[in-house]
Amino acid sequence: MVSLADNNTIFIGKKPTENYVFSTIMLFTNGAPEVSIKARGMAIKRAVDVAEIVKNRMESMMKTQVSYKEIKIATEKVQREDGESNVSSIDIVLKK
Amino acid sequence: MVSLADNNTIFIGKKPTENYVFSTIMLFTNGAPEVSIKARGMAIKRAVDVAEIVKNRMESMMKTQVSYKEIKIATEKVQREDGESNVSSIDIVLKK
């Protein structure tokens, strides 16, 4: 399964895009009013893909309208062996 | 130089991130009230990096506050040799 916090958040990692799409739709199906999709660095593109696929699929197959409540981008500090470095992050909040 | 439309838009491609950072800051320096940073597919991460670097650099070095007026994501159809496929896109509007 996909990494999942208590508060209806999906953290995007290196698994196939479909895994995260499935988990996000499951959260909505189980009653979540909104789902936050979070990613850093190279996973940012996948987060955008997941959000768009979920939105389009829920509209076309489940006749359920979802919209973007908020899309935030930020910079986070990450500890590496050779010191601290910056990494961009995204947080996409989908709302049913 | 970087691909640039009339209306203060930066299209993110495969050049180094710094090229797009420079071009975006130049647009603001030349009087643009806002700049739109657009990307598709693999360039989405770079667009987020460019926006965050521009925002942080203008605040720290130029003491100029910039904020996100709007962040939009969407799906675009692209023609390939083997037919049509979907690609995610992002449009980040920075406002001085």
Side-chain angles (χ1 to χ4, degrees):
Chain A
M1 273 299 294
V2 162
S3 180
L4 191 64
D6 290 337
N7 51 348
N8 294 330
T9 300
I10 301 279
F11 293 102
I12 306 295
K14 293 180 175 177
K15 299 203 177 90
T17 300
E18 273 302 322
N19 292 30
Y20 303 106
V21 170
F22 179 79
S23 299
T24 307
I25 292 179
M26 279 299 290
L27 284 177
F28 277 125
T29 305
N30 289 337
E34 54 189 64
V35 177
S36 169
I37 298 167
K38 291 177 191 277
R40 298 199 300 192
M42 294 304 294
I44 288 175
K45 173 196 180 289
R46 187 169 298 129
V48 174
D49 288 343
V50 169
E52 276 293 299
I53 293 170
V54 167
K55 184 169 184 291
N56 293 333
R57 196 172 296 172
M58 287 187 68
E59 287 171 3
S60 65
M61 295 188 179
M62 302 164 72
K63 307 299 175 203
T64 303
Q65 202 72 28
V66 291
S67 59
Y68 293 114
K69 183 183 175 190
E70 193 167 29
I71 302 173
K72 285 183 288 192
I73 63 180
T75 302
E76 297 179 13
K77 300 250 179 241
V78 176
Q79 293 297 332
R80 295 182 197 271
E81 284 178 20
D82 54 344
E84 210 175 52
S85 78
N86 289 330
V87 63
S88 296
S89 65
I90 196 164
D91 181 5
I92 304 168
V93 183
L94 272 169
K95 181 187 164 79
K96 190 160 76 171
Chain B
M1 274 299 291
V2 163
S3 179
L4 192 64
D6 290 337
N7 50 347
N8 294 330
T9 300
I10 301 279
F11 293 102
I12 306 296
K14 294 180 174 176
K15 297 203 178 89
T17 301
E18 272 303 322
N19 292 32
Y20 303 108
V21 169
F22 178 80
S23 298
T24 306
I25 292 178
M26 279 299 292
L27 282 177
F28 277 125
T29 306
N30 289 338
E34 55 188 64
V35 177
S36 169
I37 299 168
K38 292 177 191 276
R40 299 200 298 192
M42 295 304 294
I44 288 175
K45 174 196 180 292
R46 187 169 297 130
V48 173
D49 287 344
V50 169
E52 276 294 298
I53 294 170
V54 166
K55 184 169 183 291
N56 293 333
R57 196 171 295 173
M58 288 186 67
E59 286 171 5
S60 65
M61 296 188 178
M62 304 164 73
K63 306 298 174 203
T64 302
Q65 200 73 27
V66 290
S67 59
Y68 294 114
K69 183 183 176 190
E70 192 168 30
I71 302 173
K72 284 182 290 189
I73 63 180
T75 302
E76 298 180 11
K77 299 251 178 240
V78 176
Q79 293 296 333
R80 294 183 196 270
E81 284 178 22
D82 54 345
E84 210 175 53
S85 78
N86 290 330
V87 63
S88 296
S89 66
I90 196 165
D91 182 3
I92 303 167
V93 182
L94 273 169
K95 181 188 164 79
K96 190 160 75 171

